[in-house]
């Protein structure tokens, strides 16, 4: 039996591939003014500081909607929205400047903290803010004059990059400036999407208020393509304004070339770290990339295949295969790769003279079983047999015969195997032989 590993050590080791993968990457992290007002802001910024210390280049985009609403209420001024968009008159612009200014100061103050007994001890973070976002007025739409409400016109990506190169965390707020010297109130989601796109960021991360996008079972779908996300946005489902804006920004950024956008519930402690440092994350990822797929194995998969099959060899479920055997046979393997990890594999050995093939080494990683991956691999290999004109498929198994019988395999005798395989049959192992006619 292998010695017991301390869960802390295990988790820390498991996060190592992500630490390597994230170093030097650029993440744009957007959150609402609710996060700034919350008592959890410190914890969130500790996690941001941690990411920064691991070499992640970070741009924070902070919203200020509740703070602006409060400032307006204090002045007894109207909160005026047309659809999703605030109409920013002179009084509202004043409130925006106040609220955004206060938000920025709050963030800068907390990011400057370095108390010895806090996780920020010794962090000495630099914060950079500035006129990075150029804006233009929304103008008059359907007869409504949006006045000082604007939209991003251009993001000075070069200037932001320079600050990131200097090791600073860049903080952006929902204000942009025009060539005429005016300030405009812009949506923080638009700022985040435009900035992530202009920077060619590796990720846009949205920290959601509430639970976010939930599927029929009440869980966040772990992955959506931009098209699927758009269908959700267009459906009748009421996601709430905040989630809808985050989802729209994620779609916009993905279509603008950002490889992955993540939506994570802010209020769940450590969700940002769990999303970034565990394989399956905790939120929803919007991406056009193939996160999981079936494909032919490559030599670089040999380590992953060995890691998958070794525990089963130790239990006697699979026949032992050396690394050398795998190096010779890797091209017979098909794998399912999930975010860079081999989570399932199977090998196909064809006997064309007898129009038959052996399915061997079918393994799904224990964490990913009972989700149809075994079936998926079997169907994939059956189609390959079909393409190669192989009419029957057999498998030798000691403990999994029922799984195969439920999928159309039937017991058969060694004499039904091709001659060369029959002579190599290990009678001591007493494997059951199961055969399935194809087509
Ligand atoms: C057999 C195996 C590949 C199935 O993978 P999977 O991705 O879980 O398969 P699927 O999701 O398509 O099917 C899951 C179903 O198979 C059942 N199943 C799993 N192992 C089984 C076994 N040994 N006997 C009978 N049924 C089994 C599960 O209970 C589940 O049934 P349910 O849908 O009624 O709940 C996987 O369990 C595995 O890797 N086992 C160890 C290796 C092995 O025995 N390989 C075969 C020898 S070559």
């Amino acid at each position: 039996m292998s010695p017991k590993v301390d869960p802390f050590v295990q988790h820390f080791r498991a996060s190592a591939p992500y630490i390597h993968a994230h170093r030097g990457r650029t993440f744009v992290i957007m959150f609402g003014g609710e996060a700034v007002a919350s008592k959890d802001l410190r914890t969130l910024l500790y996690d941001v500081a941690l990411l920064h210390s691991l070499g992640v280049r970070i741009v924070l985009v902070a919203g200020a909607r509740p703070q602006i609403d409060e400032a307006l209420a204090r002045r007894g001024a109207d909160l005026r929205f047309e659809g999703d968009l605030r109409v920013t008159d002179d009084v509202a612009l004043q409130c925006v400047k106040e609220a955004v200014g206060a938000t920025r100061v709050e963030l800068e103050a907390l990011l400057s903290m370095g108390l010895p007994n806090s996780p920020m001890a010794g962090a000495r973070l630099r914060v950079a803010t500035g006129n990075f976002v150029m804006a233009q007025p929304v103008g008059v739409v359907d007869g409504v004059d949006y006045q000082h409400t604007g939209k991003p016109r251009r993001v000075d990506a070069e200037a932001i990059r320079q600050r990131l190169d200097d090791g600073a965390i860049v903080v952006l707020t929902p204000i942009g400036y025009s060539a005429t010297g005016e300030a405009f109130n812009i949506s923080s989601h638009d700022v985040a999407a435009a900035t992530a796109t202009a920077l060619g960021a590796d990720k846009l991360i949205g920290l959601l208020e509430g639970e976010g996008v939930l599927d029929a079972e009440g869980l966040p779908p772990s992955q959506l393509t931009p098209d699927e996300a758009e269908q959700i946005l267009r459906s009748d489902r009421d996601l709430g304004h905040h989630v809808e804006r985050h989802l729209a920004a994620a779609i916009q950024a993905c279509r603008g070339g950002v490889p992955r956008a993540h939506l994570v519930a802010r209020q769940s402690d450590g969700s940002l770290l769990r999303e970034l440092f565990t394989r399956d994350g905790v939120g929803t990822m919007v991406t056009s990339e193939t996160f999981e797929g079936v494909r032919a194995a490559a030599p670089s998969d040999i380590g992953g295949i060995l890691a998958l099959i070794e525990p089963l060899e130790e239990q006697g479920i699979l026949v032992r295969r050396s690394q050398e055997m795998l190096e010779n046979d890797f091209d017979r393997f098909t794998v399912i790769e999930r975010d860079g990890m081999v989570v399932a594999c199977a090998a196909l050995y064809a006997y064309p003279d007898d129009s038959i093939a052996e399915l061997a080494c079918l393994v799904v990683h224990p964490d990913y079983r009972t989700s149809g991956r075994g079936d998926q691999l079997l169907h994939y290999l059956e189609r390959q047999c079909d393409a190669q004109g192989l009419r029957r498929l057999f498998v030798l198994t000691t403990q999994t015969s029922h799984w195969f019988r439920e999928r159309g395999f039937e017991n058969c005798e060694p004499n039904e195997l091709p001659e060369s395989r029959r002579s190599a049959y290990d009678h001591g192992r007493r494997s059951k032989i199961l055969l399935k006619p194809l087509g």
Side-chain angles (χ1 to χ4, degrees):
M1 236 178 51
S2 45
K4 225 169 161 231
V5 183
D6 176 345
F8 166 77
V9 175
Q10 203 167 17
H11 286 136
F12 201 54
R13 285 180 182 147
S15 55
Y18 298 94
I19 296 175
H20 292 304
H22 298 330
R23 181 170 300 128
R25 306 283 180 182
T26 304
F27 297 175
V28 174
I29 303 175
M30 60 177 167
F31 47 86
E34 293 83 353
V36 180
S38 134
K39 61 177 176 23
D40 302 326
L41 179 63
R42 275 170 191 249
T43 322
L44 170 61
L45 294 182
Y46 292 159
D47 290 348
V48 167
L50 174 61
L51 286 178
H52 178 265
S53 73
L54 294 174
V56 179
R57 295 153 64 86
I58 296 173
V59 179
L60 299 179
V61 184
R65 188 184 260 225
Q67 289 83 350
I68 296 170
D69 292 349
E70 269 174 35
L72 281 164
R74 273 199 304 274
R75 289 179 185 229
D78 276 348
L79 300 175
R80 203 173 145 212
F81 279 88
E82 288 292 335
D84 258 356
L85 216 51
R86 189 191 291 280
V87 177
T88 316
D89 58 17
D90 290 345
V91 177
L93 182 64
Q94 206 46 45
C95 294
V96 170
K97 287 181 185 171
E98 266 172 37
V100 167
T103 298
R104 177 144 74 198
V105 171
E106 182 69 17
L107 288 172
E108 286 184 3
L110 283 179
L111 286 168
S112 304
M113 195 167 66
L115 292 179
N117 55 354
S118 81
M120 305 272 282
R124 281 199 300 278
L125 299 178
R126 286 190 193 148
V127 180
T129 53
N131 60 341
F132 300 123
V133 180
M134 294 287 123
Q136 66 188 55
V138 167
V140 180
V141 181
D142 294 334
V144 178
D145 184 354
Y146 284 89
Q147 303 180 51
H148 303 291
T149 301
K151 54 187 177 188
R153 175 176 175 180
R154 195 172 62 82
V155 176
D156 190 349
E158 199 36 52
I160 296 179
R161 261 188 223 111
Q162 280 174 13
R163 304 304 184 282
L164 295 173
D165 289 347
D166 279 350
I169 291 180
V170 173
V171 173
L172 301 181
T173 51
I175 285 197
Y177 305 97
S178 73
T180 54
E182 291 166 75
F184 284 92
N185 173 210
I186 31 183
S187 136
S188 58
H189 305 93
D190 290 349
V191 171
T195 304
T197 307
L199 275 178
D202 298 283
K203 289 184 191 297
L204 170 66
I205 301 166
L207 302 179
L208 300 172
E209 301 304 315
E211 290 175 302
V213 189
L214 299 180
D215 62 18
E217 280 148 30
L219 296 168
S222 58
Q223 195 190 342
L224 294 170
T225 63
D227 287 351
E228 287 166 340
E230 184 151 23
Q231 276 170 23
I232 293 178
L233 261 190
R234 288 182 180 201
S235 69
D236 305 334
R237 283 166 61 181
D238 180 18
L239 302 171
H241 168 85
H242 178 83
V243 174
E244 282 173 8
R245 296 307 300 262
H246 270 72
L247 200 54
I251 297 167
Q252 188 190 333
C254 279
R255 292 192 173 146
V258 176
R260 292 178 176 189
H262 301 252
L263 302 179
V264 187
R266 174 188 67 84
Q267 280 123 321
S268 148
D269 184 31
S271 52
L272 178 61
L273 299 183
R274 269 183 296 167
E275 178 69 9
L276 292 172
F277 293 97
T278 59
R279 180 168 307 104
D280 297 315
V282 287
T284 297
M285 180 165 75
V286 182
T287 177
S288 320
E289 291 175 347
T290 314
F291 182 63
E292 176 170 329
V294 184
R295 59 167 176 79
S300 56
D301 294 318
I302 292 171
I305 296 174
L306 271 174
L308 205 55
I309 64 179
E310 266 170 1
L312 295 159
E313 291 174 353
E314 276 167 23
Q315 293 164 36
I317 295 176
L318 295 182
V319 179
R320 206 166 275 282
R321 281 175 174 74
S322 64
Q323 167 136 7
E324 205 184 351
M325 272 163 99
L326 275 180
E327 278 164 10
N328 287 331
D329 280 4
F330 79 87
D331 54 350
R332 300 180 191 266
F333 274 80
T334 297
V335 294
I336 298 184
E337 181 190 320
R338 183 176 170 84
D339 200 19
M341 177 194 176
V342 175
V343 295
C345 69
L348 194 68
Y349 292 82
Y351 298 86
D353 293 345
D354 299 280
S355 311
I356 195 168
E358 175 174 4
L359 165 63
C361 231
L362 171 69
V363 182
V364 176
H365 186 287
D367 290 351
Y368 296 94
R369 287 187 189 160
T370 60
S371 300
R373 291 184 178 86
D375 262 331
Q376 195 183 353
L377 271 176
L378 178 61
H379 290 148
Y380 186 89
L381 296 181
E382 285 180 2
R383 282 204 306 277
Q384 279 200 344
C385 288
D386 195 40
Q388 293 172 35
L390 304 166
R391 307 261 61 94
R392 290 171 304 157
L393 186 61
F394 71 90
V395 62
L396 271 63
T397 177
T398 50
Q399 295 180 23
T400 321
S401 57
H402 278 223
W403 190 88
F404 289 105
R405 283 175 57 191
E406 285 167 23
R407 284 152 183 84
F409 286 78
E410 281 174 16
N411 289 326
C412 77
E413 296 302 320
N415 62 13
E416 292 184 61
L417 299 180
E419 171 62 38
S420 56
R421 185 65 179 89
R422 201 181 315 152
S423 47
Y425 176 70
D426 177 355
H427 287 272
R429 219 176 127 70
R430 305 190 56 206
S431 302
K432 299 217 168 3
I433 308 170
L434 292 119
L435 184 77
K436 180 175 181 179
L438 303 174

